[in-house]
Amino acid sequence: MFRLSNLIQSVTSGKPERSLDGCIAIWNFTNRCNLACHHCYSYADPNQEDFLTTEFILDSIGSLKRGGVRFVIFSGGEPLIRRDIFEIAEAMREAGIVTYLSTNGLYITEKNVDRIIDTFNYIGISIDGIESVHDRFRGMEGAYRKSLAAIDLIQKHGGNAGIRFTITSETKENLYDIFDLAEEIGVDKIYISHLVYSGRGLENLKIDITPQERRKFVEFIVDKAFQYHDEGRGIDIVTGNMEMDAILFLRKFAERYPDLRDEMARRLRNWGGNSAGRKLVNIDWMGRVKPDPFFPEYIGDMTERPFDELWLDPDNALLTRLREHPRKLGGKCAECGVIEICNGGSRSRAWAIHGDLWAEDPSCYLSDEERKGVNG
């Protein structure tokens, strides 16, 4: 995740940089879902049975802690389908793990909204376009109105929810409307995800946008982050799955704050770009562990070996190479002067297009001049 708004605020105000001592786990607790989204990487199925028992998950929390997990993002499928989801989240919170909820919002009701607000530190609700676009992309008529109703219900009960949006050829023109919507309804975060080719996302490679289109949209997103900062708006902008955004962001930041450019560059290098297998891990609905949710290879299975033993295994060659910084990659990345910032982007996209985990990210939109490097 690339936290544009937080970086602008912290550097311009002289606040200490945020650092993560440990890792974030995205856990797909179920493969069941009430929607059939075009970009889904989980092949979610409403009729699937949950594989991992409540007891197994609860017993795994100690292993997560020993492995350095500090945050768990509850994902799926649709995580609220599981009846034990609150029990699991509350146990994690008692163990000192911060819990986030990623949901389509359709199961948020008057009966459970207060418990959701009390249980999860953050609630992200997926909105992938304005009404007809969202409903078509999500595979259900009326899904848009139900998701907006969930945000409204959370706000009325004293909580707040962010919007999650994925840029594809089907949703791209609604990106601008999503920002207007966020301003209108008063959410506190907009998370913009770039498409990664995996699951239905791989089947729908044709719905991705071109690098040229991507750059245009990222320019808009970065400009919005600066606009919100200038206006004092409390809307946090975050992008995901496209670490090259940081290099474009740095150029624009330097134009506005030339005296702070070196400090921002230093923080971006410390942030380190793509963190799959390093500060990010995925656990799927069967307990299999991957460096990120889209990754084509598993590093092990929690039903056979505890998480901490898998994640901290010094003999795992894949993790060792992923944790090199900057990574040693091919193609444009081999001679790139800014790889310390982006770390080469998505290995999953490299695999999907080139059949090589260590090739360049095919979605990189940086110019030859921008790839030459940054000073300081």
Side-chain angles (χ1 to χ4, degrees):
M1 297 180 191
F2 179 51
R3 304 179 184 277
L4 292 78
S5 301
N6 177 267
L7 280 163
I8 297 171
Q9 175 63 27
S10 63
V11 173
T12 57
S13 63
K15 293 180 179 178
E17 61 191 304
R18 294 174 63 171
S19 61
L20 177 62
D21 179 21
C23 65
I24 297 171
I26 300 172
W27 194 331
N28 306 98
F29 285 98
T30 181
N31 206 43
R32 292 187 291 149
C33 189
N34 51 339
L35 298 178
C37 308
H38 292 182
H39 65 311
C40 181
Y41 59 84
S42 297
Y43 293 102
D45 180 348
N47 300 313
Q48 198 104 40
E49 289 189 12
D50 293 328
F51 184 80
L52 300 178
T53 66
T54 307
E55 292 72 25
F56 176 86
I57 295 171
L58 294 177
D59 288 345
S60 299
I61 293 176
S63 181
L64 294 183
K65 287 282 289 182
R66 292 191 298 273
V69 172
R70 301 290 178 260
F71 295 77
V72 172
I73 298 174
F74 282 56
S75 188
E78 169 50 51
L80 290 177
I81 283 181
R82 285 195 67 128
R83 294 182 178 180
D84 58 2
I85 206 71
F86 294 111
E87 180 182 358
I88 294 167
E90 287 163 0
M92 287 191 178
R93 286 169 62 91
E94 289 176 4
I97 296 175
V98 178
T99 57
Y100 289 178
L101 176 66
S102 179
T103 175
N104 58 43
L106 272 61
Y107 286 115
I108 297 177
T109 68
E110 286 281 359
K111 291 183 178 180
N112 65 15
V113 64
D114 289 325
R115 194 172 185 186
I116 289 171
I117 293 170
D118 292 341
T119 301
F120 295 98
N121 294 69
Y122 171 71
I123 306 160
I125 295 183
S126 299
I127 304 287
D128 282 300
I130 305 303
E131 194 134 21
S132 62
V133 172
H134 175 89
D135 288 355
R136 182 174 63 252
F137 193 68
R138 293 272 161 183
M140 176 186 286
E141 185 175 353
Y144 176 78
R145 291 179 180 271
K146 291 178 180 179
S147 294
L148 284 189
I151 294 174
D152 182 62
L153 184 60
I154 290 169
Q155 291 173 332
K156 286 179 177 177
H157 282 251
N160 211 327
I163 288 176
R164 300 173 59 87
F165 176 90
T166 301
I167 306 176
T168 72
S169 61
E170 297 180 351
T171 66
K172 61 185 181 182
E173 295 305 327
N174 277 184
L175 172 68
Y176 311 109
D177 300 311
I178 287 295
F179 280 82
D180 291 340
L181 174 66
E183 294 168 16
E184 178 185 343
I185 65 178
V187 298
D188 64 350
K189 181 181 288 188
I190 306 172
Y191 176 86
I192 307 295
S193 179
H194 297 270
L195 185 68
V196 181
Y197 324 131
S198 181
R200 292 195 190 108
L202 180 56
E203 292 175 356
N204 287 280
L205 177 58
K206 61 186 178 182
I207 70 174
D208 198 18
I209 60 177
T210 66
Q212 293 76 25
E213 289 178 306
R214 192 180 310 283
R215 184 185 181 97
K216 178 185 72 172
F217 292 127
V218 174
E219 294 261 9
F220 171 80
I221 293 166
V222 173
D223 287 343
K224 272 293 186 180
F226 284 113
Q227 176 192 331
Y228 289 165
H229 174 72
D230 294 343
E231 295 174 352
R233 285 184 180 266
I235 301 179
D236 188 21
I237 298 180
V238 181
T239 66
N241 306 317
M242 186 58 60
E243 290 78 17
M244 286 66 77
D245 293 356
I247 292 134
L248 192 151
F249 166 82
L250 177 60
R251 179 177 61 81
K252 293 204 169 199
F253 182 88
E255 292 171 358
R256 288 169 166 261
Y257 306 100
D259 294 343
L260 295 173
R261 181 217 174 275
D262 289 350
E263 173 59 17
M264 180 61 78
R266 185 190 68 79
R267 293 195 185 199
L268 290 175
R269 285 193 291 269
N270 286 348
W271 165 66
N274 185 274
S275 60
R278 186 168 54 98
K279 292 189 176 182
L280 178 67
V281 62
N282 174 240
I283 305 168
D284 77 4
W285 66 289
M286 298 181 71
R288 297 172 298 188
V289 180
K290 298 189 291 183
D292 71 30
F294 315 99
F295 215 82
E297 295 183 20
Y298 295 99
I299 63 170
D301 189 326
M302 285 172 53
T303 65
E304 300 173 357
R305 191 180 177 194
F307 172 81
D308 57 314
E309 292 185 11
L310 296 170
W311 188 242
L312 302 178
D313 184 354
D315 298 321
N316 188 299
L318 176 61
L319 288 179
T320 298
R321 189 161 180 185
L322 284 172
R323 289 168 182 172
E324 289 181 332
H325 189 267
R327 292 172 182 152
K328 296 178 178 64
L329 305 175
K332 296 176 183 178
C333 296
E335 304 297 330
C336 183
V338 290
I339 194 169
E340 285 187 337
I341 291 178
C342 76
N343 208 22
S346 171
R347 301 301 85 224
S348 301
R349 276 195 293 258
W351 173 261
I353 299 302
H354 303 297
D356 180 359
L357 280 173
W358 315 110
E360 66 186 58
D361 184 336
S363 291
C364 179
Y365 53 74
L366 297 177
S367 67
D368 291 343
E369 186 65 27
E370 288 166 331
R371 286 195 301 270
K372 285 182 180 179
V374 293
N375 299 317

